[in-house]
Amino acid sequence: AEVLYKAMKGLGTDEDAILQLLTARSNAQRQEIKAAYKTLHGKDLVDDLMSELGGKFESLIVTLMTPPIMYEVTCLRDAIKGAGTDEKVLVEILASRSPNEHNDDLEEDVTGDTGGHFKRMLVVLLQASRQQGIQEDLIQSDAQALFVAGEQKYGTDEGQFITILGNRSNAHLRRVFEEYRRLSGYEIEESIQRETSGTLQEVLLAVVKCARSVPGYFADSLYGAMKGAGTDDQTLIRIMVSRSEVDMLDIRAEFRKRFATSLHKMIQGDTSGDYRKALLLLCGVRLVDVCFRVCKLNKFNSSGVM
């Protein structure tokens, strides 16, 4: 709290001190720093940061200072307010969320501006009541039900796709997809593309991608945010911050596997200034986080070197 106060005190702002400190702390620690700042100086830390910073760097720092659940709720509500709905944000957050992350307050807000089968799928994902583990006795019947609901039927029974893809665990769905390919001769993605359209197709494909690999899904999303002319900074900030304490190392590995560059290089080429520095620090993941993950997974070699 004192370091941040000094960085903003007087003329000028020490942006480097701010970004170096905040990217090196967990969100829980940032909330403690915010509380200490209020106690020591009687001011709101986020308000002070916003008055001293600007542009995309300010947006990134404010996002880092927001508790994860509050940030998710804000993103979802922003996606549906005003003219039109940002279905991309709804799909990204709801398709990738962990089981049992249910927020009762959100259901009416998020689904109020949507309709049809897309709305039904969002409700299922919001309820976050996915079964846990693999239900061996359901693998074959689930694959058969999907086949009958789509490829084997004139028209499509979207309800079956919604029920199965929205309520089964990722591990279970991976087994179902294997059985589906054996049974039908198609990948599930091919069938979804043929049998559905629009926003329902988008959310079903996102659920399938996440079932196959959540880090892979976010690697694809980050690449999409930066490829070509211009950068989708909202998506870049949202993913880099929300996944920084979850699976950033896995996302980096998937990014390198899928594309002819690294996430680090792509961020470096697509951004600039303090905004770039902060993103690269989040991308790098501090050594303490790396060591914690490696220790947790028991992947040290005999010499103790990663």
Side-chain angles (χ1 to χ4, degrees):
E2 281 303 306
V3 168
L4 292 171
Y5 180 74
K6 287 173 185 173
M8 294 184 281
K9 184 180 172 185
L11 291 174
T13 305
D14 187 347
E15 287 89 351
D16 199 59
I18 292 169
L19 69 88
Q20 290 284 348
L21 189 144
L22 292 179
T23 58
R25 303 293 183 270
S26 68
N27 193 280
Q29 289 171 324
R30 290 181 210 119
Q31 303 317 310
E32 292 179 7
I33 292 167
K34 182 180 174 182
Y37 191 93
K38 181 77 171 177
T39 301
L40 290 167
H41 303 291
K43 295 156 79 173
D44 185 83
L45 175 55
V46 176
D47 287 346
D48 281 0
L49 287 166
M50 289 173 70
S51 71
E52 295 290 329
L53 309 175
K56 292 175 282 192
F57 180 52
E58 177 194 330
S59 299
L60 176 59
I61 294 299
V62 170
T63 302
L64 281 169
M65 291 302 304
T66 308
I69 294 175
M70 188 184 298
Y71 180 61
E72 180 183 277
V73 169
T74 301
C75 286
L76 289 170
R77 286 185 171 147
D78 286 348
I80 57 163
K81 77 179 184 183
T85 303
D86 190 342
E87 288 89 356
K88 178 183 167 188
V89 174
L90 296 180
V91 168
E92 177 198 299
I93 293 174
L94 296 180
S96 64
R97 69 194 342 231
S98 301
N100 304 320
E101 290 182 8
H102 183 204
N103 189 316
D104 292 308
D105 298 332
L106 278 175
E107 194 167 312
E108 188 176 344
D109 288 346
V110 170
T111 60
D113 203 31
T114 58
H117 296 299
F118 180 57
K119 178 175 181 174
R120 284 183 60 195
M121 187 62 178
L122 292 184
V123 170
V124 170
L125 294 174
L126 274 165
Q127 288 170 347
S129 56
R130 285 177 181 266
Q131 295 171 353
Q132 300 298 298
I134 299 171
Q135 315 294 316
E136 294 286 348
D137 56 327
L138 291 179
I139 292 170
Q140 193 167 3
S141 62
D142 281 350
Q144 180 69 38
L146 289 171
F147 184 48
V148 170
E151 297 287 356
Q152 213 175 43
K153 181 183 177 70
Y154 180 74
T156 306
D157 181 356
E158 292 89 350
Q160 278 286 22
F161 282 86
I162 290 168
T163 298
I164 293 170
L165 295 181
N167 288 294
R168 305 291 191 260
S169 71
N170 286 346
H172 179 87
L173 287 175
R174 288 193 291 273
R175 293 282 298 278
V176 171
F177 300 157
E178 289 173 15
E179 180 64 20
Y180 184 86
R181 185 177 63 245
R182 188 194 66 75
L183 181 70
S184 69
Y186 302 118
E187 294 291 352
I188 189 67
E189 292 93 335
E190 295 176 81
S191 294
I192 289 171
Q193 285 169 340
R194 272 195 296 270
E195 298 294 328
T196 64
S197 62
T199 52
L200 176 64
Q201 183 183 101
E202 287 175 28
V203 71
L204 292 177
L205 288 174
V207 168
V208 170
K209 273 190 177 183
C210 288
R212 292 196 188 279
S213 169
V214 172
Y217 172 73
F218 282 113
D220 287 345
S221 298
L222 284 168
Y223 183 78
M226 292 183 282
K227 73 175 182 179
T231 303
D232 181 351
D233 292 292
Q234 282 189 327
T235 296
L236 183 56
I237 290 170
R238 187 172 60 249
I239 296 174
M240 292 301 295
V241 173
S242 66
R243 308 310 293 186
S244 62
E245 295 179 52
V246 182
D247 52 5
M248 186 54 66
L249 292 175
D250 299 324
I251 291 170
R252 281 171 49 191
E254 282 294 327
F255 198 98
R256 187 174 277 282
K257 269 198 294 186
R258 290 163 186 248
F259 309 109
T261 186
S262 68
L263 178 57
H264 190 279
K265 280 184 184 173
M266 202 154 181
I267 290 172
Q268 203 162 32
D270 249 58
T271 59
S272 61
D274 295 316
Y275 176 55
R276 176 205 279 164
K277 285 183 195 173
L279 285 171
L280 290 177
L281 287 170
L282 290 174
C283 175
V285 186
R286 294 309 180 87
L287 183 60
V288 65
D289 300 319
V290 175
C291 289
F292 175 75
R293 274 188 60 112
V294 173
C295 287
K296 205 168 133 185
L297 296 171
N298 285 322
K299 287 186 179 175
F300 276 107
N301 64 24
S302 57
S303 64
V305 178
M306 285 189 288

